[in-house]
Amino acid sequence: MQTEFLIQIKDLKASIDNKEILKGLTLEVKPGEIHAIMGPNGSGKSTLANVLTGREIATVTSGTVTFEGKNLLEMSPEERAREGIFLSFQYPIEIPGVSMVNFMKTAINEQRKHRGLEPLSASEFLRQMREKKELVEIDSALTNRSVNEGFSGGEKKKNEIFQMAMLEPRLALLDETDSGLDIDALRIVANGVNKIRRPDTSVIVITHYQRLLDYIVPDFVHVLYDGRIVKSGGPELALKLEERGYDWIRKEAEVSEETWTTDRK
Amino acid sequence: MDYRPEVISRLTELWEGKDAGVLQGSPDIYNRYRAEAFSEFLRLGIPDRKNEAYKYTNLEKSFGHRYEQYFSPKPDDFREAERFHCEVEDLDVWNMVLLNGFFPRGDEGLAMLPGGIWVGSMKAAARQFPSLVEKHYNKYARNENDGLVPLNTALASDGLFLYAPKNTVYTKPIQIVNLLHSTQDIFTQDRNLVVVEDGAQMSLLVCDHAISPQHYLTNTVTEVYVGCNARFEIIRVQNQHNDSGKITHTFIHQERDSFASSNNITLHGGLVRNATWHRLNGENAETHSYGLFLADKQQHIANFVKVDHAAPNCNSTQLFKGVLDDNASGAFNGRIMVHKDAQKTNAFQSSNSIILSDTARMDTKPQLEIYADDVKCSHGATVGQLDENALFYLRSRGIDAKEAKLMLMFGFAHDVIKNIPIEALRERIDNLVLMRLRGELSRCASCAIQCN
């Protein structure tokens, strides 16, 4: 049976060093949907990105994550990537001595192997590199260098979107992709995402600020607070957060927490 | 029990029979230094770990072995070597094959390369350029507490001579393929001299291959003179095997406005110790010392560097990197010495190693001795594991953990390789390093003599 959801996260709990960070998070994303997850510092946004991509910093203590009907939590980071999950890193890593070309060629061919496809020919690979570079307006000189080495903050973020363009994921997680970008770079990065997205590509945008959502318009906005999604709505919720901050959410959440605790007693 | 007295008594026997034996027909120009050198060797002995420069290197594994023969070449020995062809595609070089450090047909005269560079055996050099050899031979090598240097001076019968007269430029690299090949376990010593006169340029690639599985021990001394405004580059690629020991002492002496760089790439070897001495003897000279090694099993790879800033306004860098797995051990001992008058010196040193197993070991010892007051010197040493964040980054793009580790190690190594000035060679060495990291590099790789 074809599942209706691309990814289903149910009652997910995860901790770092025995401290519970995600405290029962539930989120369902259908193919082609864009979800924004907003929340104050320390609410668990980055932990969610870590758990979904298989980084072993956080330990999942309970809950399930199903991706296209498969148990995501059993997969290694590389298997998740090959299944079509892509994370745009908040802080992309510099890897001296590893060329962008070699990195992308290896990544693409590993994914193709996973899908039972032959490796790309050199000319086809270069053609794709060229095409995708134009799409995300990344300087050609950068892709001739080592991965992220000596790139500015904006160039690193563009490079993440370039990799997304090359790898054509089913689900893209954009972790604070807007942080540290000036308005021009933000527009280029956001438009890049829009241009490379196919109709069935889903996106989860993790962000502090509303401004990225002017360009990547979400179908749903969720507020993550203290390890749980405490409020969901449409794009208007993001505007409201931008205007009023997170305090009213905090109050609402604490009230409901009390009510909930009282109810249980 | 100390293994050394027995080794020294065997060497003494060799010394006493030298005139009818290993040193038969050796030119006087070399012979005149031998007696003093041998007594110096007896005084200093084979270095042990009490010697500061050998603190982390135990030579017993190589020196304690009983070698059946002390190598001193005979014409017949070279037949195998002459069949060897080094297959380096796209590498435009002038190529020559040596056997156990010795020049085939050593008694013939020197050959002249286009541009006017002379190449041949030390024996032939003594005949053809006696005053030049006299001027430079044994002038730059220093014993400094290391008995192995005078041991070479006393007993090495021959070696390679390269001479670039004033203002000669040969744009192609000179490739020396040095084969270790024997049917017996051998101890071999070669003595080499390179003279690059004022305004001349030379680029030298030395590839050491062990092509038969015997035990080898090589103790090599190379003296290099780089004249005013001259340029010299040496790249060594060492690909031997676990039963071979390779000790090199390279002394690079530089005059004013000169440039020199040394790059030691150690892919494989049971015990390897490369000592590189740079002396900046004239103003505004520049020198670089690079090294990369990949060690596993029980291998030990040591790099010793000393840069002497004896004149003002000179620049030097040292960059050494190693990857160690299994029970391998490595050592880096790098010294910068800035003499009293060497003001405006810039001297930098960096040593970085990656340890892949719990039992591998790396010791680093940076030393700065500064007697001038207007200098910039720095040193840094790191020993660590692969960067977990970088590993995750690669895996998050679908690259499996094993391949990702390999890519990181390769990237780490490439930092040294990228300093090799010849592009085709850089690619070739990148490739060799990758093969080595994948475990695909055997001692027979790319060798034309299929001995099995």
Side-chain angles (χ1 to χ4, degrees):
Chain A
M1 193 193 79
Q2 184 67 41
T3 163
E4 180 192 1
F5 296 107
L6 180 65
I7 189 165
Q8 256 184 314
I9 306 169
K10 279 193 187 157
D11 199 26
L12 183 67
K13 294 183 183 171
S15 26
I16 297 176
D17 296 334
N18 291 322
K19 185 173 186 294
E20 191 164 68
I21 309 290
L22 297 181
K23 301 177 177 175
L25 184 145
T26 296
L27 178 69
E28 291 171 330
V29 178
K30 288 180 189 166
E33 286 179 350
I34 299 183
H35 290 243
I37 296 181
M38 303 182 74
N41 280 333
S43 57
K45 298 194 301 293
S46 288
T47 303
L48 177 62
N50 285 334
V51 166
L52 294 182
T53 49
R55 193 172 206 170
E56 282 157 4
I57 294 172
T59 316
V60 174
T61 50
S62 74
T64 59
V65 181
T66 314
F67 186 75
E68 293 197 300
K70 295 173 199 159
N71 181 356
L72 190 74
L73 298 177
E74 277 181 352
M75 299 181 199
S76 67
E78 52 269 37
E79 283 169 331
R80 297 177 200 211
R82 292 172 200 158
E83 289 288 333
I85 291 184
F86 178 88
L87 170 67
S88 169
F89 282 63
Q90 185 179 2
Y91 303 110
I93 312 291
E94 296 195 16
I95 312 183
V98 175
S99 73
M100 272 304 295
V101 171
N102 190 23
F103 170 46
M104 276 293 97
K105 198 187 282 170
T106 311
I108 282 186
N109 286 334
E110 293 258 5
Q111 300 213 0
R112 289 179 66 88
K113 194 164 80 189
H114 183 70
R115 293 180 202 139
L117 300 170
E118 290 290 308
L120 273 188
S121 71
S123 61
E124 177 56 22
F125 172 76
L126 290 174
R127 194 191 61 74
Q128 285 198 17
M129 286 276 285
R130 231 179 2 253
E131 185 189 306
K132 303 292 163 70
K133 271 192 284 201
E134 277 171 30
L135 214 56
V136 299
E137 299 177 43
I138 190 168
D139 187 349
S140 247
L142 293 181
T143 54
N144 290 330
R145 302 220 309 244
S146 293
V147 179
N148 292 323
E149 193 185 22
F151 288 25
S152 71
E155 287 165 348
K156 283 181 182 167
K157 295 296 172 84
K158 266 194 218 172
N159 192 22
E160 294 294 291
I161 303 309
F162 168 69
Q163 292 172 43
M164 176 180 162
M166 290 296 288
L167 297 170
E168 301 181 335
R170 304 272 293 114
L171 172 68
L173 301 165
L174 308 182
D175 188 5
E176 309 263 354
T177 294
D178 49 341
S179 68
L181 292 187
D182 64 39
I183 193 71
D184 290 329
L186 178 75
R187 190 173 35 77
I188 292 170
V189 162
N191 287 341
V193 173
N194 290 330
K195 277 189 264 180
I196 60 190
R197 209 163 72 82
R198 291 177 313 215
D200 64 340
T201 310
S202 306
V203 182
I204 297 177
V205 185
I206 296 171
T207 183
H208 253 65
Y209 308 105
Q210 191 271 334
R211 59 175 196 161
L212 181 62
L213 306 179
D214 285 342
Y215 299 95
I216 304 174
V217 181
D219 301 301
F220 302 96
V221 174
H222 310 278
V223 181
L224 185 60
Y225 178 74
D226 194 24
R228 261 187 228 112
I229 286 176
V230 294
K231 202 165 191 68
S232 298
E236 74 288 346
L237 179 55
L239 290 168
K240 195 173 171 189
L241 288 168
E242 184 77 0
E243 209 176 289
R244 297 178 53 186
Y246 288 102
D247 270 359
W248 62 282
I249 295 280
R250 198 167 286 143
K251 279 176 196 133
E252 271 191 30
E254 273 154 15
V255 169
S256 69
E257 176 96 343
E258 269 164 34
T259 324
W260 185 78
T261 328
T262 323
D263 284 352
R264 292 279 293 236
K265 272 180 188 165
Chain B
M1 207 186 83
D2 193 349
Y3 72 97
R4 293 177 297 170
E6 198 199 324
V7 177
I8 287 169
S9 85
R10 280 204 299 271
L11 287 167
T12 306
E13 237 171 78
L14 188 74
W15 168 255
E16 281 160 0
K18 68 183 185 310
D19 296 328
V22 294
L23 297 179
Q24 216 171 14
S26 172
D28 173 62
I29 222 166
Y30 309 129
N31 290 346
R32 69 178 71 156
Y33 297 103
R34 296 190 191 274
E36 194 194 330
F38 196 76
S39 59
E40 191 64 3
F41 165 67
L42 290 179
R43 186 177 72 80
L44 294 167
I46 295 167
D48 66 4
R49 297 169 87 155
K50 284 186 214 117
N51 183 327
E52 223 23 60
Y54 284 82
K55 191 170 175 189
Y56 306 109
T57 300
N58 186 351
L59 295 175
E60 180 168 1
K61 184 175 159 188
S62 279
F63 277 84
H65 183 79
R66 194 176 177 114
Y67 296 91
E68 292 157 274
Q69 210 202 104
Y70 178 87
F71 186 78
S72 166
K74 291 159 210 71
D76 271 5
D77 295 330
F78 291 101
R79 266 181 320 203
E80 284 289 299
E82 303 216 316
R83 283 169 50 204
F84 185 89
H85 299 282
C86 179
E87 296 167 34
V88 183
E89 284 168 32
D90 308 323
L91 184 58
D92 189 15
V93 294
W94 187 85
N95 173 292
M96 183 170 53
V97 177
L98 305 194
L99 180 72
N100 303 328
F102 293 86
F103 197 76
R105 300 183 303 277
D107 290 336
E108 291 175 15
L110 300 172
M112 191 174 82
L113 307 188
I117 289 178
W118 294 92
V119 60
S121 72
M122 290 290 278
K123 274 185 182 163
R127 281 199 307 271
Q128 205 161 332
F129 293 107
S131 58
L132 181 86
V133 170
E134 188 160 353
K135 185 177 164 197
H136 296 288
Y137 179 77
N138 210 32
K139 297 297 185 291
Y140 314 115
R142 281 142 58 192
N143 298 346
E144 295 224 4
N145 232 357
D146 185 342
L148 300 182
V149 177
L151 177 65
N152 178 288
T153 307
L155 281 167
S157 59
D158 206 351
L160 178 74
F161 172 77
L162 283 160
Y163 171 40
K166 197 170 174 182
N167 295 330
T168 49
V169 174
Y170 186 46
T171 48
K172 289 184 191 182
I174 297 167
Q175 185 190 20
I176 307 294
V177 178
N178 182 26
L179 303 181
L180 284 179
H181 182 76
S182 173
T183 50
Q184 286 178 306
D185 292 355
I186 56 169
F187 174 35
T188 179
Q189 296 196 93
D190 53 316
R191 177 63 171 242
N192 313 295
L193 176 63
V194 179
V195 177
V196 186
E197 285 186 342
D198 296 357
Q201 286 186 28
M202 187 193 290
S203 171
L204 182 61
L205 165 65
V206 183
C207 304
D208 281 305
H209 277 291
I211 59 171
S212 60
Q214 275 67 26
H215 281 76
Y216 294 103
L217 173 59
T218 311
N219 181 40
T220 299
V221 172
T222 304
E223 292 180 280
V224 181
Y225 170 84
V226 188
C228 297
N229 203 29
R231 188 179 175 94
F232 172 74
E233 288 149 1
I234 181 169
I235 301 131
R236 280 203 180 86
V237 180
Q238 299 170 324
N239 184 24
Q240 301 186 203
H241 57 62
N242 291 340
D243 289 325
S244 74
K246 174 98 190 162
I247 314 288
T248 72
H249 317 262
T250 306
F251 299 88
I252 302 174
H253 176 99
Q254 288 180 248
E255 293 299 346
R256 63 175 302 151
D257 303 315
S258 64
F259 174 98
S261 89
S262 154
N263 207 322
N264 289 323
I265 311 283
T266 311
L267 299 173
H268 215 127
L271 180 122
V272 178
R273 183 179 188 273
N274 292 313
T276 315
W277 306 69
H278 301 248
R279 183 177 171 90
L280 296 161
N281 204 53
E283 254 188 90
N284 196 34
E286 179 178 341
T287 203
H288 303 276
S289 214
Y290 303 108
L292 168 69
F293 67 89
L294 309 168
D296 58 7
K297 312 273 168 29
Q298 310 289 331
Q299 297 169 357
H300 178 83
I301 316 288
N303 280 292
F304 173 95
V305 186
K306 182 165 182 195
V307 177
D308 258 308
H309 279 265
N313 292 307
C314 292
N315 297 318
S316 70
T317 56
Q318 298 172 42
L319 174 64
F320 284 79
K321 289 194 161 194
V323 179
L324 300 106
D325 201 355
D326 303 330
N327 296 311
S329 58
F332 173 73
N333 189 326
R335 296 190 197 171
I336 298 170
M337 163 110 165
V338 182
H339 295 237
K340 193 164 148 269
D341 300 324
Q343 300 295 2
K344 307 280 180 197
T345 285
N346 287 310
F348 304 103
Q349 180 193 91
S350 165
S351 154
N352 314 104
S353 311
I354 289 181
I355 304 269
L356 299 174
S357 72
D358 292 339
T359 44
R361 180 186 169 91
M362 179 72 199
D363 290 289
T364 61
K365 191 170 182 210
Q367 288 170 287
L368 299 181
E369 255 183 87
I370 302 173
Y371 299 100
D373 53 17
D374 185 13
V375 302
K376 272 188 208 146
C377 293
S378 72
H379 66 85
T382 62
V383 179
Q385 279 90 39
L386 288 174
D387 179 354
E388 284 296 326
N389 290 327
L391 201 55
F392 179 74
Y393 190 75
L394 296 177
R395 294 177 72 192
S396 80
R397 300 302 185 239
I399 299 170
D400 78 51
K402 198 176 156 208
E403 185 68 24
K405 279 182 190 167
L406 205 93
M407 288 174 81
L408 291 182
M409 285 189 273
F410 177 74
F412 176 79
H414 183 75
D415 209 23
V416 172
I417 299 168
K418 73 178 183 200
N419 296 299
I420 293 173
I422 309 147
E423 192 187 347
L425 184 60
R426 226 166 24 234
E427 283 168 20
R428 167 71 178 167
I429 291 175
D430 269 347
N431 214 359
L432 284 171
V433 166
L434 205 56
M435 279 168 74
R436 170 71 170 98
L437 290 169
R438 286 186 198 280
E440 292 165 357
L441 187 67
S442 70
R443 72 185 158 79
C444 297
S446 80
C447 167
I449 301 173
Q450 298 297 324
C451 24
N452 302 325

